[in-house]
Amino acid sequence: MTDTIILGLDGATWNVLNPLLEDGNLPELQARIEEGQADTLESTFPPITAPAWLSMATGQNPGKTGIFYFLNRSEPDSFEFESLGSDSFQNQSFWDVLAARGHSVGVFNFPMLYPPYELGEDGFIVSGLGSPGDDTITKPDNLKNQLDDVTGGYEVKVPYADPKYQNRPNKLACDLHEMLKKREAAMTYLLEEKRPNVFFGVISVTDWAQHYFWRYHDPDHTLYDPDADEEHQKALTQLWERVDETIGKLGEFADEEDANLLIVSDHGFGPVNQTLYSNSWLEAKGLRVPEETSTVQSLRTRYFPYLRRMIEPIVSVIPQLNDLAKSVGKSVRGSLSDDIDWEQSVVFAPRQNLTCGMLYMLSDDPEDTAAVIRAFENFTNTDSNSIEIDIFRPEERYEGSKTELAPDILFTINDFACAVDPRHTMSDKHLIDSPPSAARSGGHRMEGIYVASGPDIAPREGQPASIFDIAPTLMYALGEPIPEVMDGEALTHLFATEFQAERSIEQKPLTDLVGPEEAAAKRNTKEVQERLEDLGYIWILSCSLWIQYGPTQSIRSILTPPHSLKEHMELVSTKPTRLLRGHFHLMPVCSLEQRHQNTTRTQVTNTSTMLSLHSPKSSRLTSMKPLPSQTILGSVRSSVSNEASRPSTRPGSMSRATPISAKSLRLKTGSVCSKKQRKLSSMETRSQT
């Protein structure tokens, strides 16, 4: 019998829901609010999917979990970033406590909970965002086949930020609705067939839709077009109306089971109308110094990300080119911290976040930290648009032994309405009046939602709560002790007076509640990165190349990713059309053929390539010096051979593929010298191409 159902709506916000409720568009949600309680649910800082869902599951703030974004460091003196995986959840989450104490628990589509693990005799886990979508995403193992049967092919994500959806909102809306239909079918099956005591299911399409469709939905958005297709303007409303139907289905099951239903979101949402290019701005202030590199390396780290955004409209017109772009882009994969002069730089922002600023100091000198903070405090906008920057040190936001793993400086601009983009820009402006991309016109906010209803819930006015309160509240509702490590409090005001009279709040050490700790499954940071890239959460792809050929020319094989030693063969033929006229194109002077020998060496024959760049501010087509293809492919060859021979620093560490002047980012600990000196003394310089 099911006692409690928790439905997670990623990114749900009263900013969107209240107007829809007032217009009568969400009758099922309205009914749950009227018979129970509802209010805001404050997220983690920053309000980002990965740390927020983990804190909801564990009741712990990021200072204890050590998770501040999708990629995090595991040691305070390291700049190696590892992905969040199920090992951070295991033996820490409320469902582990409940399973250990005899409750059957089902967890469905929970972000970053991969790989899944056994959850008691009758429990189950279905991994969500960050998982590969294959047969390894469920425990028990055979559950994936069952989900395939009931959904017609179970899927993990819709890559809304993928270029194939640019200027194709109808296609994205269709795919999101299809995904939601499958989510509903899967949850209905799991509830009716498995009937766990506690069920926690997450719907992610709400987050993806709000990122993409905010500019169509919000008349005040800087990209809003009043003449846009009416279907595009209604897309977000229509998706929420479909979500409301899912709420109705789960609510109906909860009523049949006499179960409580709790609806929660990991964070809120709002418009993104500006973008600050943080690393470019830091360089302008002399706080971050780019490494002197070859032309090829500069193209990889600085210009190609910009060029990739320029050619996205082409992919939207010809979606078949999308896989080609991804394949070539992966061939020149960079790292989160490419292109830094470690000796002269004071601070840098890794390329993995848009929600707020995350800065890592390269100096232990407090004066350097103070100088960075002063620079932001004195920030002036030459366009005279008002901006408000709030700056935080980690100890001001977090508590716990892992606070030292947090970024050294965090900041927000205009209460998250201004994105902070660590990627480079070719514009001479560091602050622009538009979002970083059209697909990210909406962004995260601190204020999420909760709605509680059911036989044990008192119908009364709700009170604001914290995301840390959800786990202890569930423990309280099920009559179990609350782990002492949890930061939140049980929301006793949700429950009827009679229910409270039967319950008391008891706390115990977590280790006493979950039993002996089991070995956690290992994660693969590199693979998780790849799954997150087309959702716009991180940017490890340094470029995407688009190649134009003559009438009889073709390219045989795309550059093989340096982190992979397997041969990757493609055959692509094109017609002699200027696909990217007015932007940029690579023009082989003669045929190009790349072949692999012994899987680690590349032979290039008789080819050179011209890169032509069309400046968006000028009608003049400017050409750069021709670059021999041997140089480009040779750098890949060097990276492949070096990666094959260089041992990994530690299991699960991020694979680095920086072929020119690549340096180890591992810091030695225990030294009395400065952080910058430790950095320099531990660098390992690989051969230059």
Side-chain angles (χ1 to χ4, degrees):
M1 179 177 177
T2 301
D3 301 313
T4 304
I5 298 174
I6 309 101
L7 176 61
L9 302 177
D10 203 310
T13 172
W14 295 121
N15 293 335
V16 170
L17 298 180
N18 277 337
L20 298 180
L21 289 165
E22 292 172 1
D23 292 341
N25 296 92
L26 308 176
E28 298 294 342
L29 181 61
Q30 182 67 52
R32 296 295 157 178
I33 294 173
E34 291 176 352
E35 67 184 45
Q37 297 181 43
D39 213 301
T40 58
L41 189 68
E42 185 179 47
S43 184
T44 54
F45 182 86
I48 293 174
T49 297
W53 284 116
L54 177 61
S55 287
M56 189 181 293
T58 63
Q60 302 174 38
N61 81 92
K64 291 180 179 178
T65 65
I67 302 301
F68 308 91
Y69 195 68
F70 288 94
L71 301 178
N72 304 272
R73 52 184 179 179
S74 58
E75 298 178 15
D77 282 336
S78 171
F79 293 109
E80 288 183 353
F81 295 84
E82 298 181 345
S83 65
L84 169 62
S86 60
D87 55 330
S88 293
F89 291 88
Q90 194 168 0
N91 301 313
Q92 298 288 325
S93 302
F94 74 84
W95 54 69
D96 295 302
V97 177
L98 294 177
R101 296 181 68 82
H103 299 267
S104 61
V105 185
V107 183
F108 171 76
N109 193 44
F110 208 90
M112 310 309 294
L113 186 60
Y114 181 82
Y117 54 88
E118 299 288 348
L119 196 58
E121 291 185 7
D122 300 317
F124 59 84
I125 288 179
V126 180
S127 301
L129 176 70
S131 60
D134 56 21
D135 292 343
T136 66
I137 67 170
T138 64
K139 285 292 181 182
D141 296 335
N142 63 355
L143 186 56
K144 174 58 163 57
N145 292 332
Q146 298 173 40
L147 295 181
D148 284 336
D149 291 340
V150 300
T151 63
Y154 186 77
E155 299 174 87
V156 170
K157 67 180 180 180
V158 174
Y160 72 92
D162 196 292
K164 70 181 180 181
Y165 289 119
Q166 181 161 344
N167 298 325
R168 303 180 77 207
N170 288 338
K171 171 60 176 172
L172 177 60
C174 180
D175 289 351
L176 291 175
H177 278 264
E178 181 64 21
M179 171 69 77
L180 181 55
K181 178 182 177 181
K182 292 184 177 185
R183 290 282 189 268
E184 181 185 288
M187 288 190 290
T188 301
Y189 169 80
L190 293 171
L191 284 168
E192 293 179 348
E193 297 298 322
K194 309 300 181 183
R195 295 187 178 271
N197 301 143
V198 179
F199 176 81
F200 198 144
V202 176
I203 292 176
S204 298
V205 295
T206 45
D207 177 272
W208 305 334
Q210 290 176 154
H211 276 303
Y212 187 98
F213 286 105
W214 199 277
R215 64 188 173 116
Y216 296 106
H217 182 80
D218 180 3
D220 295 327
H221 196 277
T222 186
L223 296 183
Y224 181 78
D225 180 5
D227 298 324
D229 192 305
E230 188 177 2
E231 286 300 308
H232 303 169
Q233 295 178 355
K234 291 181 177 179
L236 191 55
T237 295
Q238 291 172 345
L239 183 78
W240 274 109
E241 289 173 346
R242 181 63 184 83
V243 171
D244 192 63
E245 295 178 16
T246 300
I247 293 174
K249 273 216 165 185
L250 268 62
E252 182 180 352
F253 182 86
D255 293 341
E256 293 174 356
E257 293 287 297
D258 203 27
N260 296 318
L261 174 63
L262 179 62
I263 301 172
V264 294
S265 69
D266 55 331
H267 52 72
F269 244 89
V272 176
N273 287 315
Q274 291 178 295
T275 303
L276 172 70
Y277 291 96
S278 54
N279 276 322
S280 296
W281 184 81
L282 289 171
E283 289 180 6
K285 296 297 179 181
L287 298 170
R288 182 191 189 277
V289 180
E291 182 182 32
E292 293 186 6
T293 59
S294 68
T295 304
V296 172
Q297 180 74 348
S298 295
L299 289 173
R300 289 181 65 251
T301 58
R302 288 179 169 266
Y303 303 119
F304 276 131
Y306 175 79
L307 296 175
R308 180 183 188 274
R309 294 194 291 271
M310 291 172 61
I311 56 84
E312 285 179 350
I314 306 302
V315 186
S316 69
V317 176
I318 312 174
Q320 294 83 354
L321 297 176
N322 194 52
D323 291 340
L324 171 62
K326 287 183 178 180
S327 179
V328 178
K330 290 178 182 179
S331 72
V332 282
R333 174 180 297 273
S335 79
L336 292 173
S337 49
D338 275 345
D339 189 33
I340 300 174
D341 187 320
W342 297 100
E343 183 176 4
Q344 300 186 61
S345 297
V346 173
V347 65
F348 81 102
R351 293 194 297 273
Q352 63 154 331
N353 177 36
L354 286 174
T355 302
C356 71
M358 291 182 169
L359 304 181
Y360 292 83
M361 295 299 300
L362 299 177
S363 168
D364 285 333
D365 190 340
E367 285 300 315
D368 288 339
T369 302
V372 174
I373 293 176
R374 282 196 303 272
F376 279 100
E377 291 174 339
N378 297 329
F379 187 94
T380 57
N381 182 8
T382 56
D383 295 331
S384 72
N385 293 332
S386 61
I387 63 170
E388 180 179 341
I389 301 181
D390 294 309
I391 306 167
F392 305 96
R393 298 301 306 277
E395 56 270 18
E396 297 172 350
R397 304 295 312 200
Y398 312 119
E399 294 181 1
S401 60
K402 296 183 180 180
T403 298
E404 61 182 0
L405 302 179
D408 298 302
I409 298 173
L410 302 104
F411 65 93
T412 66
I413 304 179
N414 292 346
D415 192 25
F416 301 101
C418 177
V420 182
D421 193 337
R423 293 171 293 183
H424 290 287
T425 175
M426 293 183 69
S427 170
D428 55 358
K429 292 183 178 181
H430 307 301
L431 180 68
I432 61 172
D433 292 326
S434 65
S437 70
R440 302 281 297 194
S441 60
H444 298 179
R445 297 293 192 274
M446 291 291 294
E447 301 81 16
I449 75 161
Y450 79 84
V451 179
S453 64
D456 300 322
I457 304 300
R460 62 168 69 106
E461 194 74 20
Q463 300 177 22
S466 164
I467 199 169
F468 309 128
D469 298 333
I470 299 302
T473 298
L474 294 171
M475 302 301 298
Y476 170 80
L478 293 159
E480 298 292 352
I482 298 173
E484 294 174 348
V485 71
M486 290 186 175
D487 295 303
E489 299 178 354
L491 301 175
T492 57
H493 63 81
L494 294 178
F495 300 93
T497 303
E498 316 84 70
F499 186 88
Q500 293 185 45
E502 300 172 356
R503 292 285 191 276
S504 61
I505 295 179
E506 180 185 5
Q507 290 186 308
K508 288 186 177 182
L510 179 62
T511 52
D512 292 352
L513 299 173
V514 297
E517 185 170 326
E518 299 179 5
K522 292 184 179 180
R523 58 193 138 170
N524 188 315
T525 294
K526 179 179 64 179
E527 292 180 358
V528 174
Q529 287 175 197
E530 293 179 8
R531 296 173 202 135
L532 296 175
E533 283 166 4
D534 52 14
L535 290 171
Y537 293 128
I538 55 176
W539 309 278
I540 311 300
L541 298 189
S542 291
C543 71
S544 292
L545 305 181
W546 295 90
I547 301 179
Q548 176 184 349
Y549 298 94
T552 61
Q553 293 174 324
S554 66
I555 177 172
R556 192 176 292 271
S557 97
I558 309 305
L559 308 186
T560 297
H563 57 269
S564 172
L565 300 182
K566 68 179 183 179
E567 182 165 312
H568 177 62
M569 299 298 293
E570 295 278 353
L571 178 61
V572 179
S573 298
T574 64
K575 296 180 180 180
T577 58
R578 288 184 176 272
L579 294 178
L580 305 177
R581 183 165 60 182
H583 293 291
F584 87 104
H585 49 273
L586 289 175
M587 304 174 60
V589 176
C590 51
S591 63
L592 181 152
E593 185 174 37
Q594 177 196 6
R595 299 185 183 278
H596 291 279
Q597 296 179 344
N598 302 324
T599 72
T600 61
R601 295 189 60 81
T602 304
Q603 181 178 359
V604 185
T605 60
N606 191 25
T607 306
S608 66
T609 305
M610 170 77 77
L611 174 64
S612 298
L613 173 64
H614 183 226
S615 170
K617 294 185 177 181
S618 170
S619 60
R620 179 173 58 90
L621 185 67
T622 59
S623 296
M624 300 177 67
K625 182 179 179 180
L627 303 174
S629 292
Q630 288 91 333
T631 304
I632 300 175
L633 302 182
S635 67
V636 176
R637 178 184 66 240
S638 175
S639 179
V640 171
S641 59
N642 285 333
E643 288 297 317
S645 61
R646 187 170 65 92
S648 174
T649 305
R650 62 171 178 264
S653 63
M654 185 178 66
S655 173
R656 294 190 51 75
T658 312
I660 299 178
S661 298
K663 300 176 177 66
S664 168
L665 296 184
R666 180 64 176 237
L667 284 173
K668 296 181 178 180
T669 58
S671 173
V672 297
C673 59
S674 70
K675 182 183 295 185
K676 188 179 295 184
Q677 289 172 330
R678 290 201 305 271
K679 169 72 66 179
L680 293 172
S681 65
S682 63
M683 285 181 178
E684 298 173 0
T685 304
R686 282 184 268 170
S687 61
Q688 297 189 6
T689 302

